[in-house]
Amino acid sequence: MVDLFLRLKENAALLWYEKTTYCLLCGNVSEEAVCLICQQAYFFPNLPRCGSCGKILAETKTRCRNCEAGKGPEGLDKVTCLGYYKGAWKELVQQIKYKGQPYLVTSLAEVIIPWVIRCLPPPDAVVPVPMHPDRLAQRGFNQAEVLASIISRQLAIPYQNLLDRMKDTIPQTTLGRRQRLRNLRDAFSVKPGYSDLREIVWLVDDVVTTGSTLEECAGVLKKNGVKKVYAFCLGAGKEE
């Protein structure tokens, strides 16, 4: 009778304390934040990325067609993205950005950290792409800052929030590459008082499309003494 009671007690404890985790993308039970099926469907871990803009490539090469034709961002030493910005992955990134759920980025650390370690050389600092103060006041947080701070904390790399966004530019999503570059001209600057800029930085943002934002930020960083700028983002396009 005592043994039976102890077994019942142990089973009850398991039912009470055991936490079932679910994939953030498909909702199925998973031991990881993103299940292996969704990782294959959206992260394409075996496919290369365009080193200039981060786009996922279907072929074994180092640059996409746009970047080979000179239509991609310049001034970055390498860009990599975690996943294909479509479907459930796009919905999750937008949920983080627009529905006030930055805490979800913490759950993604287990897939983000191995990726950046594998794809990028060690940096001296992690730098987020800034948001204009007016936009920040509306949203309440900058998703790039959340992402950069988690990477910094997990890898014990200094976090430097050293860029300012001087212009509240119109949304980039409706613009072509040339229009984006004009829209972003003189939009960024190094914050006053920053003199100790590191030689190698990881520039962090949520999504890269044409790469114009990363290009402008990298240009400002390099004008102020940074030697190498490598960029990481959660999502990018995929070349078929």
Side-chain angles (χ1 to χ4, degrees):
M1 189 70 175
V2 174
D3 290 340
L4 176 61
F5 176 78
L6 289 175
R7 285 199 299 273
L8 290 172
K9 182 179 178 181
E10 289 172 357
N11 290 336
L14 287 173
L15 289 171
W16 185 260
Y17 292 110
E18 187 175 6
K19 182 180 179 182
T20 303
T21 56
Y22 301 90
C23 173
L24 291 172
L25 301 188
C26 67
N28 291 330
V29 175
S30 170
E31 294 181 357
E32 302 180 64
V34 179
C35 71
L36 294 178
I37 293 174
C38 285
Q39 287 187 36
Q40 291 292 331
Y42 293 103
F43 295 170
F44 300 97
N46 298 322
L47 292 182
R49 270 60 172 165
C50 173
S52 296
C53 72
K55 188 179 295 178
I56 299 169
L57 303 174
E59 303 174 26
T60 305
K61 55 181 184 176
T62 58
R63 303 181 80 198
C64 69
R65 289 187 291 270
N66 275 347
C67 289
E68 285 177 343
K71 299 177 182 178
E74 299 175 354
L76 292 140
D77 293 275
K78 185 179 179 181
V79 182
T80 189
C81 79
L82 179 61
Y84 180 28
Y85 192 58
K86 194 171 183 180
W89 184 239
K90 179 178 180 178
E91 290 173 9
L92 179 64
V93 174
Q94 292 190 341
Q95 187 177 347
I96 292 168
K97 289 176 64 173
Y98 302 123
K99 296 186 178 179
Q101 297 178 319
Y103 58 86
L104 292 174
V105 180
T106 304
S107 301
L108 293 170
E110 65 186 53
V111 289
I112 292 170
I113 299 304
W115 183 263
V116 291
I117 290 174
R118 190 178 87 180
C119 296
L120 300 178
D124 300 310
V126 181
V127 178
V129 169
M131 184 181 289
H132 190 271
D134 291 347
R135 195 77 56 86
L136 183 61
Q138 291 175 356
R139 190 171 297 172
F141 68 96
N142 177 359
Q143 64 279 353
E145 289 181 6
V146 175
L147 181 57
S149 64
I150 288 172
I151 293 172
S152 166
R153 189 165 58 249
Q154 291 278 335
L155 296 176
I157 299 168
Y159 171 87
Q160 286 194 324
N161 191 1
L162 53 79
L163 289 174
D164 268 335
R165 190 159 192 154
M166 310 300 292
K167 291 165 53 180
D168 189 11
T169 54
I170 62 175
Q172 296 276 87
T173 53
T174 60
L175 303 178
R177 174 165 169 75
R178 289 184 179 179
Q179 292 173 308
R180 288 176 185 234
L181 289 171
R182 285 197 297 269
N183 190 39
L184 290 169
R185 192 169 296 143
D186 300 322
F188 302 100
S189 67
V190 172
K191 289 182 177 181
Y194 264 107
S195 58
D196 182 28
L197 271 66
R198 308 302 176 100
E199 287 196 359
I200 303 173
V201 303
W202 285 355
L203 183 62
V204 175
D205 204 1
D206 57 340
V207 178
V208 57
T209 47
T210 64
S212 51
T213 299
L214 295 177
E215 179 177 351
E216 288 296 312
C217 289
V220 170
L221 290 170
K222 289 192 171 183
K223 284 178 184 176
N224 285 273
V226 174
K227 304 299 182 187
K228 299 279 187 180
V229 178
Y230 300 92
F232 166 74
C233 61
L234 291 176
K238 181 174 180 288
E239 184 171 81
E240 302 298 337

